[in-house]
Amino acid sequence: MDRFKWAGVYQQRSRDGHFMLRVRNTGILNSEQIRTLAKISKDYGRGLINITTRGAIQFHWICVENLPDIFNRLKVVNLSSIEACGDCTITIVGNPLAGIDKDELMDTTKLINSLNEFFLFNRDFSNFPRKFKISISSNIFNAAHAEINDLSFTPAVKNINGVEKIGFHLWVGGGLSTTPHLAKKLSIFALPEDVLKVAIGVATIFRDYGYREKRNRARLKFLIEDWGVAKFQEKLLEIIGDMQSLGEDRLANWKAAYFYGVHKQKQLDKNYIGINIPFGELNATHFFELARICEKYGDSNIRTTLSQNLIISGVTNEHIPSILNSQYLNFFHLHQAHLLGIQWHVQVKNSVILQLLKQKK
């Protein structure tokens, strides 16, 4: 059962024969992919879809006999659940607005794709001590949560030979769970062409020196805690060669990856609309509707966020009222339905607690 994780599949806690399946996603889904995911949910996942805190798509209530058909459907639309979980490089995250963001120094889409292409199905880097999380963003508001990833690239600039170059500062050893650590900054400036080399170097250290005796001490953050940043950086440079020293940090603030409402893109006469998805959960009907909306009013894409919400991009000015006056209300009703669900859950929970207290008396 443990090895199922490398296929993006977990046994549900009920252990009644149902599974969770997670689909890797680089942050942008086209309308064909959206419809495929909605159909999988409808046919095999009780009509429910979850957006994870890494922007992946997740299904529950999957039966094992349906996995081959699901894998085939995903492959047709260039999606996969392979290594969405497991002791490997799981879903690489970035700026949900990459390519359309007026607050980014550069479009990081190609960098994320190049790392995905290198690490996915790479047997040399598919057996880490634990999972390995990477984020790459050039957004000045820390859109990819740099501090809680094993390796993060954040926006920076540096004057090199009289020319200002856009690049990244590096952070290592972040993570949450029961023993949270904030990532620590290295004294390195990386150019875009250095990103893959750096990622391979950090991954090599984690693979070769990371702790494997106890899983609760196996994340990279524990190795860095024991080694210290100076020793870690020395070992990294030993592997990848000399790098530029720190440049000028361009992080301005942190907006927690929330993108609600209507906002201007950097493209003239284009807008994106951030939609609140309570608890990151919606149903297949809403996903089908999103495919229709993004094709009719946008650029045929939706973007997932690390706050478990969605973004419709490429909306022209004249189409904004059409979305807000009609389809947006559907999502508002969805929000109300979830609020009612919370109230019901709290009432039931409180009722159970009261019964237990009475029994104890």
Side-chain angles (χ1 to χ4, degrees), residues 196-209:
L196 179 58
K197 175 176 70 173
V198 169
I200 293 171
V202 175
T204 300
I205 295 174
F206 183 41
R207 180 194 65 192
D208 295 349
Y209 297 95

Side-chain angles (χ1 to χ4, degrees), residues 2-104:
D2 239 18
R3 290 173 179 159
F4 271 48
K5 291 188 293 185
W6 275 260
V9 179
Y10 274 93
Q11 188 179 26
Q12 288 185 185
R13 286 183 180 177
S14 55
R15 298 186 182 276
D16 60 356
H18 291 105
F19 293 82
M20 178 275 286
L21 182 140
R22 185 178 298 152
V23 181
R24 288 178 73 103
N25 171 33
T26 56
I28 303 176
L29 295 168
N30 63 46
S31 56
E32 184 183 13
Q33 292 171 330
I34 298 166
R35 288 193 176 94
T36 296
L37 294 168
K39 191 70 165 59
I40 290 171
S41 167
K42 182 179 178 181
D43 292 345
Y44 300 128
R46 298 189 181 181
L48 296 175
I49 297 169
N50 290 99
I51 305 159
T52 75
T53 55
R54 297 191 74 76
I57 301 298
Q58 196 163 279
F59 304 107
H60 289 271
W61 307 108
I62 302 297
C63 295
V64 69
E65 61 266 25
N66 297 322
L67 288 174
D69 185 47
I70 294 172
F71 293 152
N72 288 333
R73 292 190 194 189
L74 292 173
K75 186 177 181 180
V76 169
V77 293
N78 199 30
L79 289 174
S80 173
S81 64
I82 299 300
E83 294 190 1
C85 322
D87 301 337
C88 50
T89 304
I90 63 174
T91 304
I92 299 169
V93 300
N95 177 14
L97 302 176
I100 65 172
D101 186 4
K102 57 184 178 58
D103 293 318
E104 67 180 357

Side-chain angles (χ1 to χ4, degrees), residues 276-279 281 286 328-344:
N276 178 26
I277 308 297
F279 312 112
E281 183 175 284
H286 292 116
Y328 185 76
L329 295 179
N330 289 333
F331 290 97
F332 176 76
H333 294 321
L334 172 66
H335 178 64
Q336 295 300 314
H338 273 286
L339 288 178
L340 290 172
I342 295 173
Q343 291 167 2
W344 176 83

Side-chain angles (χ1 to χ4, degrees), residues 307 309 356:
S307 51
N309 296 301
L356 291 172

Side-chain angles (χ1 to χ4, degrees), residues 129-130 206 210-212 214-220 222:
R130 283 288 299 274
F206 183 41
Y211 303 141
R212 295 179 182 267
K214 298 178 180 178
R215 284 190 68 79
N216 62 356
R217 289 274 300 172
R219 291 290 300 276
L220 180 64
F222 295 109

